Amino acid sequence: MSKQTGSEVVLTIPMHPSMELVAAQTGSLIAEANGFDQKCIEEIQLALIETCINAFEHSKSDDQRVHITFIIKDNELEFKITDRGVGFQIDPDKLSTVDEPEPRELRKRGWGLELIKNMMDSLYVDSNEHETTITLVKKKPDY
């Protein structure tokens, strides 16, 4: 696959176990074809897996689908992951500060968005009671 700046790939996956791997594999192939290094590719894969699993587990989507748009730009890739579910029940910017029964470092779950934020160059959440879109951006490193 040759580099095609400004191109988009659109993928819709059902909310079934292991389908997040289809999104990760697609992201991996697009990143590789556009010259991203192995570290970036692995971060993209993990971020896509985490985002899809969050949609599977929390969206309560009637159509039981996740819609992913892969946007190829000059020196970055953008990923828009959308579900048509109930939206975030709390402000996603405050997820890491919500009072919880046990300290965050002792919890086994709830690290998805935190991991994604650390692996990607930007993360934006647009959510309402009918739909959530998580936009992720990964820039190509300057070497």
Side-chain angles (χ1 to χ4, degrees):
M1 177 191 276
S2 63
K3 180 178 177 183
Q4 297 178 3
T5 302
S7 296
E8 290 186 4
V9 174
V10 179
L11 175 68
T12 299
I13 59 173
M15 293 182 177
H16 293 294
S18 300
M19 289 306 296
E20 70 277 5
L21 300 177
V22 173
Q25 183 65 29
T26 303
S28 174
L29 291 170
I30 290 169
E32 183 178 348
N34 285 278
F36 281 76
D37 64 24
Q38 191 59 38
K39 181 179 184 278
C40 287
I41 291 170
E42 290 169 4
E43 290 172 340
I44 288 167
Q45 288 177 318
L46 187 54
L48 287 168
I49 287 169
E50 287 292 332
T51 307
C52 289
I53 288 173
N54 280 346
F56 293 3
E57 291 181 356
H58 303 294
S59 72
K60 300 177 186 164
S61 171
D62 287 336
D63 76 353
Q64 291 290 293
R65 298 193 183 288
V66 174
H67 311 273
I68 306 153
T69 303
F70 304 85
I71 303 165
I72 302 162
K73 298 183 179 182
D74 283 330
N75 291 311
E76 68 183 34
L77 296 176
E78 183 175 316
F79 310 94
K80 291 185 177 286
I81 301 95
T82 302
D83 66 70
R84 295 193 174 94
V86 298
F88 274 82
Q89 302 304 303
I90 60 173
D91 183 346
D93 292 330
K94 297 179 181 174
L95 284 175
S96 62
T97 62
V98 173
D99 292 330
E100 296 170 3
E102 58 184 314
R104 186 164 180 84
E105 39 301 323
L106 296 178
R107 291 182 334 164
K108 294 178 183 174
R109 299 194 37 89
W111 286 94
L113 279 180
E114 195 68 32
L115 285 170
I116 295 164
K117 284 180 187 179
N118 288 322
M119 289 183 288
M120 302 303 282
D121 292 299
S122 68
L123 177 148
Y124 178 73
V125 178
D126 182 17
S127 185
N128 61 48
E129 65 275 5
H130 304 292
E131 179 176 281
T132 297
T133 298
I134 308 287
T135 302
L136 309 174
V137 174
K138 188 66 170 177
K139 295 179 181 179
K140 194 181 297 184
D142 294 325
Y143 294 115

